[in-house]
């Protein structure tokens, strides 16, 4: 069945993959950005700051979506730490507004959340584990999750660290690592921070599949392998046939850090795997191969 689809954060590192996946499925798409204008992959962008409530409400009603995928956010720990009130306005109040509008118009709402809702003391977290964020960013996402879950037809997907080449021309940390490896520039990576990384293409496919299903509630979507930042760098070097000796092993800062970085926020994705057994679940290498055409 065709759905009128609204995507926020379409110009983001992840949002661009979501937009491309949505285009593949070919429902009508309203693609929102925060500040960027023009179009992306031929889809017109609507520039809508989530803090401008009247504008959000007007454009929401004009789009008349039956399905909303909310990916827009202040999505880094450092940015949220620098200005917590502004981070709350975008991540919490902006999400609450979309939740209210979705409920009023009986649209289904999927919210993209993060593994950084956990404190990282244990790892392999599943949906029953209590969030305990160590950052302003993580706290805003927890609060936003609550607003979304209060909607009758909603789903919160906590995704792990995502990796792959940026589609937007704005280099990500991943792109910087690729450049460092190719240019033989030193690159420091934590050997004591673990995640379950998932390729952006697979994460986008997973989100769109969950969005279009009847699944409600909370679900974790991470990759099949738990690995450290340093190991990711070594695997990337091997994939690119680059010399890994430029990778410098470091530890997470224990003092002088703005906010403590969680040690291990790997996710247990069993519920997702059992609920969507046909979804692709690529290893690190399989994901890089699948995204090879997008490497610059
Ligand atoms: N990247 C990851 O590894 C990862 C992991 C777990 C969860 N997530 C979650 O995935 C989502 C996307 O992350 P990302 O990495 O793609 O982030 P990103 O690259 O920083 O993109 C953020 C997006 O949000 C938009 N935005 C920012 N402020 C806005 C505002 N005030 N009003 C409306 N839109 C605004 C941006 O629009 P403009 O660029 O046009 O300003 C951009 O499209 C986030 O919810 C994040 O928490 C990401």
């Amino acid at each position: 069945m065709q759905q009128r689809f609204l995507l926020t954060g379409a110009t983001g590192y992840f949002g661009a993959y979501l937009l491309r996946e949505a285009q593949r499925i070919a429902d009508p798409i309203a693609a929102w950005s925060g500040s960027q204008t023009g179009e992306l992959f031929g889809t017109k962008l609507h520039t809508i700051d989530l803090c401008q409530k009247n504008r959000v409400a007007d454009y929401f009603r004009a789009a008349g979506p039956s399905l909303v995928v909310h990916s827009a956010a202040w999505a880094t720990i450092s940015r949220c730490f620098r200005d917590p009130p502004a981070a709350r306005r975008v991540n919490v109040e902006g999400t609450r507004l979309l939740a209210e509008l979705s409920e009023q118009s009986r649209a289904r709402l999927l919210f993209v959340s993060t593994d950084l809702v956990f404190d990282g003391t244990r790892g392999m977290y599943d949906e029953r584990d209590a969030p305990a964020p160590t950052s302003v960013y993580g706290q805003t996402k927890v609060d936003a999750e609550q607003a979304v879950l209060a909607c009758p037809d909603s789903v919160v997907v906590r995704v792990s660290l995502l990796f792959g080449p940026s589609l937007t021309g704005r280099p990500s940390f991943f792109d910087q690592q690729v450049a460092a490896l190719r240019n033989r520039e030193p690159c420091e990576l934590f050997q004591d921070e673990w995640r379950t990384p998932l390729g952006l293409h697979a994460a986008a496919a997973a989100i769109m599949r969950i969005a279009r299903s009847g699944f409600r509630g909370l679900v974790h979507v991470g990759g099949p392998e738990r690995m450290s930042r340093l190991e990711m760098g070594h695997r990337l070097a091997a994939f690119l046939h680059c010399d890994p000796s430029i990778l410098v092993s470091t530890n997470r800062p224990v003092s002088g850090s703005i906010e403590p970085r969680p040690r291990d926020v790997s996710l247990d994705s069993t519920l997702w795997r059992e609920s969507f057994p046909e979804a692709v679940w690529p290893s690190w290498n399989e994901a890089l191969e699948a995204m090879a055409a997008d490497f610059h």
Side-chain angles (χ1 to χ4, degrees):
M1 188 186 71
Q2 274 229 326
Q3 287 176 305
R4 291 181 309 282
F5 175 54
L6 168 60
L7 172 65
T8 73
T11 44
Y13 181 46
F14 186 31
Y17 277 85
L18 287 168
L19 178 59
R20 205 168 62 170
E21 181 69 15
Q23 288 178 328
R24 208 181 54 75
I25 296 164
D27 285 345
I29 303 164
W32 288 12
S33 63
S35 58
Q36 296 181 61
T37 55
E39 55 180 48
L40 187 58
F41 315 138
T43 295
K44 177 179 165 41
L45 296 170
H46 300 279
T47 309
I48 294 154
D49 182 347
L50 288 177
C51 301
Q52 296 181 357
K53 291 189 173 183
N54 292 340
R55 187 170 164 83
V56 171
D58 289 347
Y59 273 80
F60 190 98
R61 293 194 184 105
S66 53
L67 176 61
V68 179
V69 171
H70 176 32
S71 165
W74 276 24
T76 59
I77 288 180
S78 55
R79 189 177 187 192
C80 294
F81 177 80
R82 282 195 297 273
D83 193 345
R88 288 196 69 78
R89 279 195 294 277
V90 177
N91 290 2
V92 185
E93 299 311 321
T95 302
R96 187 167 290 137
L97 177 58
L98 288 172
E100 286 166 8
L101 291 165
S102 299
E103 186 169 357
Q104 282 163 19
S105 59
R106 295 203 175 85
R108 176 167 164 78
L109 173 63
L110 182 149
F111 174 59
V112 182
S113 191
T114 173
D115 51 6
L116 289 168
V117 299
F118 295 111
D119 65 10
T121 51
R122 208 197 68 215
M124 295 314 288
Y125 294 99
D126 72 24
E127 292 79 1
R128 292 162 300 188
D129 290 311
T134 63
S135 61
V136 171
Y137 169 58
Q139 187 62 57
T140 63
K141 297 299 271 191
V142 171
D143 294 346
E145 287 182 354
Q146 296 305 319
V148 170
L149 290 171
C151 288
D153 190 4
S154 66
V155 52
V156 169
V157 184
R158 291 188 185 133
V159 295
S160 288
L161 180 74
L162 303 174
F163 68 91
S166 169
L167 302 179
T168 64
R170 280 193 294 192
S172 65
F173 183 66
F174 179 89
D175 298 294
Q176 288 164 5
Q177 268 184 73
V178 170
L181 283 161
R182 285 180 174 156
N183 300 330
R184 296 192 47 78
E185 292 158 358
C187 179
E188 291 192 351
L189 293 172
F190 300 135
Q191 59 84 25
D192 63 347
E193 181 179 307
W194 287 272
R195 312 290 277 263
T196 33
L198 183 62
L200 281 153
H201 71 302
I207 292 282
M208 289 307 296
R209 192 182 286 263
I210 295 168
R212 292 160 61 89
S213 75
F215 188 97
R216 290 177 181 174
L218 178 63
V219 65
H220 287 181
V221 171
E225 301 160 292
R226 173 182 171 274
M227 61 177 91
S228 71
R229 290 270 190 182
L230 182 64
E231 190 178 349
M232 292 177 217
H234 278 277
R235 298 270 207 110
L236 182 59
F239 178 80
L240 296 170
H241 305 292
C242 290
D243 176 5
S245 66
I246 61 115
L247 301 174
V248 182
S249 172
T250 57
N251 293 326
R252 289 171 304 120
V254 285
S255 63
S257 165
I258 50 172
E259 286 175 315
R261 290 185 70 94
R263 194 181 73 88
D264 183 348
V265 287
S266 50
L267 295 182
D268 179 333
S269 300
T270 304
L271 175 62
W272 170 52
R273 300 302 307 147
E274 289 178 355
S275 305
F276 299 89
E278 67 288 3
V280 291
W281 204 31
S283 67
W284 174 272
N285 272 43
E286 288 166 347
L288 289 179
E289 276 159 23
M291 294 185 286
D294 292 312
F295 275 82
H296 317 291

Coordinates of all heavy atoms in Angstrom, one line a residue, residues 124 160 163 196-199 201-203 205-206 209 220-226 267-274 276-287 290:
M124 N 26.3 -5.0 25.1 CA 25.3 -5.9 24.6 C 23.9 -5.7 25.2 O 23.3 -6.6 25.7 CB 25.7 -7.4 24.7 CG 27.0 -7.7 23.9 SD 26.9 -7.1 22.2 CE 25.7 -8.2 21.4
S160 N 22.9 1.5 16.3 CA 24.3 1.5 16.8 C 25.1 2.5 16.0 O 24.5 3.2 15.0 CB 25.0 0.2 16.5 OG 24.5 -0.8 17.4
F163 N 28.2 3.4 9.9 CA 29.5 3.6 9.1 C 29.2 3.5 7.6 O 28.3 2.8 7.2 CB 30.6 2.8 9.6 CG 30.5 1.3 9.2 CD1 30.9 0.8 8.0 CD2 29.8 0.5 10.1 CE1 30.8 -0.5 7.7 CE2 29.6 -0.9 9.8 CZ 30.1 -1.4 8.6
T196 N 28.6 -2.0 18.2 CA 28.2 -3.0 17.2 C 27.9 -2.2 15.9 O 26.7 -2.0 15.6 CB 27.0 -3.8 17.7 OG1 26.2 -2.9 18.5 CG2 27.4 -5.0 18.5
P197 N 28.9 -1.8 15.2 CA 28.7 -0.9 14.0 C 27.8 -1.6 12.9 O 27.9 -2.8 12.7 CB 30.1 -0.6 13.5 CG 30.9 -1.8 14.0 CD 30.3 -2.2 15.3
L198 N 27.0 -0.8 12.3 CA 26.2 -1.3 11.2 C 26.3 -0.3 10.0 O 26.3 0.9 10.1 CB 24.7 -1.3 11.7 CG 23.7 -1.8 10.7 CD1 23.9 -3.3 10.4 CD2 22.2 -1.6 11.2
G199 N 26.4 -0.9 8.8 CA 26.6 -0.2 7.6 C 25.3 0.7 7.4 O 24.2 0.3 7.6
H201 N 23.8 1.6 4.7 CA 22.8 1.1 3.7 C 21.9 0.1 4.4 O 20.7 0.2 4.2 CB 23.5 0.5 2.5 CG 24.2 -0.8 2.9 ND1 25.1 -0.9 3.8 CD2 23.9 -2.0 2.4 CE1 25.5 -2.2 3.9 NE2 24.8 -2.9 3.1
A202 N 22.4 -0.8 5.2 CA 21.6 -1.8 5.9 C 20.7 -1.2 7.0 O 19.6 -1.6 7.2 CB 22.5 -2.8 6.5
A203 N 21.3 -0.1 7.7 CA 20.5 0.5 8.7 C 19.3 1.2 8.0 O 18.2 1.2 8.6 CB 21.3 1.5 9.4
A205 N 17.8 0.4 5.2 CA 16.8 -0.6 4.8 C 16.0 -1.1 6.0 O 14.8 -1.3 5.9 CB 17.6 -1.8 4.1
A206 N 16.7 -1.3 7.1 CA 16.1 -1.8 8.3 C 15.0 -0.8 8.8 O 13.9 -1.2 9.1 CB 17.1 -2.0 9.4
R209 N 12.0 -0.8 6.5 CA 11.2 -2.0 6.7 C 10.4 -1.9 8.0 O 9.2 -2.3 8.0 CB 12.1 -3.2 6.7 CG 11.4 -4.5 6.6 CD 12.4 -5.7 6.6 NE 13.2 -5.8 5.4 CZ 12.9 -6.6 4.4 NH1 11.9 -7.4 4.6 NH2 13.7 -6.7 3.4
H220 N 16.1 -2.5 19.1 CA 17.6 -2.2 18.8 C 18.0 -2.8 17.5 O 17.7 -3.9 17.2 CB 18.4 -2.9 19.9 CG 18.3 -2.2 21.3 ND1 19.0 -2.6 22.4 CD2 17.6 -1.2 21.7 CE1 18.7 -1.9 23.4 NE2 17.9 -1.0 23.0
V221 N 18.7 -1.9 16.7 CA 19.2 -2.4 15.4 C 20.7 -2.1 15.4 O 21.1 -0.9 15.2 CB 18.5 -1.6 14.3 CG1 19.1 -1.9 13.0 CG2 17.0 -2.1 14.2
G222 N 21.5 -3.1 15.6 CA 23.0 -2.9 15.6 C 23.6 -3.9 14.6 O 22.8 -4.8 14.0
G223 N 24.8 -3.9 14.4 CA 25.5 -4.8 13.5 C 25.8 -6.1 14.2 O 25.6 -6.3 15.4
P224 N 26.3 -7.1 13.4 CA 26.5 -8.5 14.0 C 27.8 -8.6 14.7 O 28.0 -9.7 15.3 CB 26.4 -9.3 12.7 CG 26.8 -8.5 11.6 CD 26.4 -7.1 12.0
E225 N 28.7 -7.7 14.6 CA 30.0 -7.8 15.2 C 30.3 -6.7 16.3 O 30.1 -5.5 16.0 CB 31.1 -7.8 14.2 CG 31.0 -8.8 13.1 CD 31.7 -8.4 11.8 OE1 31.3 -7.4 11.2 OE2 32.7 -9.1 11.6
R226 N 30.7 -7.1 17.4 CA 31.1 -6.1 18.5 C 32.6 -5.8 18.3 O 33.4 -6.8 18.2 CB 30.9 -6.7 19.8 CG 31.4 -5.9 21.0 CD 31.1 -6.6 22.3 NE 31.7 -5.9 23.4 CZ 33.0 -6.1 23.8 NH1 33.7 -7.0 23.2 NH2 33.5 -5.5 24.9
L267 N 25.0 -3.2 21.1 CA 23.5 -3.5 21.2 C 23.3 -5.0 20.9 O 23.9 -5.5 20.0 CB 22.7 -2.6 20.3 CG 22.7 -1.1 20.5 CD1 21.8 -0.4 19.5 CD2 22.3 -0.8 21.9
D268 N 22.3 -5.5 21.6 CA 21.8 -6.9 21.3 C 20.6 -6.7 20.4 O 19.6 -6.0 20.8 CB 21.4 -7.5 22.6 CG 20.8 -8.9 22.4 OD1 20.2 -9.2 21.3 OD2 20.9 -9.7 23.4
S269 N 20.7 -7.2 19.2 CA 19.7 -7.0 18.2 C 18.7 -8.2 18.0 O 18.1 -8.3 17.0 CB 20.3 -6.6 16.8 OG 21.1 -5.5 16.9
T270 N 18.7 -9.0 19.0 CA 17.9 -10.3 18.9 C 16.4 -10.0 18.5 O 15.8 -10.7 17.6 CB 18.0 -11.1 20.2 OG1 19.3 -11.3 20.5 CG2 17.2 -12.4 20.0
L271 N 15.8 -9.0 19.2 CA 14.4 -8.8 18.9 C 14.2 -8.4 17.5 O 13.2 -8.9 16.8 CB 13.9 -7.6 19.9 CG 12.4 -7.2 19.6 CD1 11.4 -8.3 19.8 CD2 12.1 -6.0 20.5
W272 N 15.0 -7.5 17.0 CA 14.9 -7.1 15.5 C 15.1 -8.3 14.6 O 14.3 -8.5 13.7 CB 15.9 -6.0 15.2 CG 16.1 -5.7 13.8 CD1 15.1 -5.4 12.9 CD2 17.3 -5.7 13.0 NE1 15.6 -5.2 11.6 CE2 17.0 -5.3 11.7 CE3 18.7 -5.9 13.3 CZ2 17.9 -5.2 10.7 CZ3 19.6 -5.8 12.3 CH2 19.2 -5.5 11.0
R273 N 16.1 -9.1 14.9 CA 16.4 -10.2 14.0 C 15.3 -11.2 14.0 O 14.9 -11.8 13.0 CB 17.7 -11.0 14.5 CG 19.0 -10.1 14.5 CD 19.3 -9.5 13.2 NE 19.4 -10.5 12.2 CZ 19.1 -10.3 10.9 NH1 18.7 -9.2 10.5 NH2 19.2 -11.3 10.0
E274 N 14.7 -11.4 15.2 CA 13.5 -12.4 15.3 C 12.3 -11.8 14.6 O 11.5 -12.6 14.0 CB 13.3 -12.8 16.7 CG 14.4 -13.7 17.2 CD 14.2 -14.1 18.7 OE1 13.3 -13.6 19.3 OE2 15.1 -14.8 19.2
F276 N 12.2 -9.5 12.2 CA 12.4 -9.2 10.7 C 13.5 -10.2 10.2 O 14.6 -9.7 9.8 CB 12.8 -7.8 10.5 CG 11.8 -6.8 11.0 CD1 11.7 -6.3 12.3 CD2 10.7 -6.4 10.1 CE1 10.7 -5.5 12.7 CE2 9.7 -5.5 10.5 CZ 9.7 -5.1 11.8
P277 N 13.3 -11.5 10.2 CA 14.4 -12.4 9.9 C 14.9 -12.2 8.4 O 16.0 -12.7 8.2 CB 13.7 -13.8 10.1 CG 12.3 -13.5 10.1 CD 12.0 -12.2 10.5
E278 N 14.1 -11.6 7.6 CA 14.6 -11.5 6.2 C 15.5 -10.2 6.0 O 16.0 -10.1 4.9 CB 13.4 -11.4 5.2 CG 12.5 -10.2 5.4 CD 11.6 -10.1 6.6 OE1 11.7 -11.0 7.5 OE2 10.9 -9.2 6.8
A279 N 15.6 -9.4 7.0 CA 16.4 -8.2 6.9 C 17.9 -8.5 6.7 O 18.4 -9.5 7.3 CB 16.2 -7.3 8.1
V280 N 18.6 -7.8 5.9 CA 20.0 -8.0 5.7 C 20.8 -7.6 6.9 O 20.4 -6.6 7.6 CB 20.6 -7.3 4.4 CG1 20.1 -7.9 3.2 CG2 20.4 -5.8 4.5
W281 N 21.8 -8.3 7.3 CA 22.6 -8.1 8.5 C 24.1 -8.2 8.2 O 24.7 -9.2 8.6 CB 22.1 -9.0 9.6 CG 22.4 -8.5 11.0 CD1 22.4 -7.2 11.4 CD2 22.7 -9.3 12.1 NE1 22.6 -7.2 12.8 CE2 22.8 -8.5 13.2 CE3 22.8 -10.7 12.3 CZ2 23.1 -8.9 14.5 CZ3 23.0 -11.2 13.6 CH2 23.2 -10.3 14.7
P282 N 24.6 -7.3 7.4 CA 26.0 -7.5 6.9 C 27.0 -7.3 7.9 O 26.9 -6.5 8.8 CB 26.1 -6.4 5.8 CG 25.2 -5.3 6.3 CD 24.0 -6.0 7.0
S283 N 28.1 -8.1 7.8 CA 29.3 -8.0 8.6 C 29.9 -6.6 8.2 O 29.6 -6.0 7.2 CB 30.3 -9.1 8.4 OG 30.7 -9.0 7.0
W284 N 31.0 -6.2 8.9 CA 31.7 -5.0 8.6 C 32.2 -5.1 7.1 O 31.9 -4.1 6.3 CB 32.9 -4.9 9.5 CG 33.8 -3.8 9.2 CD1 34.9 -3.8 8.4 CD2 33.8 -2.4 9.7 NE1 35.5 -2.5 8.3 CE2 34.8 -1.7 9.1 CE3 32.9 -1.7 10.6 CZ2 35.1 -0.3 9.4 CZ3 33.1 -0.4 10.8 CH2 34.2 0.3 10.3
N285 N 32.8 -6.2 6.7 CA 33.3 -6.3 5.4 C 32.2 -6.3 4.3 O 32.3 -5.7 3.3 CB 34.2 -7.5 5.2 CG 35.7 -7.2 5.6 OD1 35.9 -6.5 6.6 ND2 36.6 -7.6 4.9
E286 N 31.2 -7.1 4.6 CA 30.1 -7.2 3.6 C 29.5 -5.8 3.4 O 29.1 -5.4 2.3 CB 29.0 -8.2 4.1 CG 29.5 -9.6 4.0 CD 28.6 -10.5 4.9 OE1 27.8 -10.1 5.7 OE2 28.7 -11.8 4.7
A287 N 29.4 -5.0 4.5 CA 28.8 -3.7 4.4 C 29.6 -2.8 3.5 O 29.1 -2.1 2.7 CB 28.6 -3.1 5.8
A290 N 29.2 -3.7 0.0 CA 27.9 -3.2 -0.5 C 27.9 -1.7 -0.8 O 27.1 -1.3 -1.7 CB 26.8 -3.6 0.4

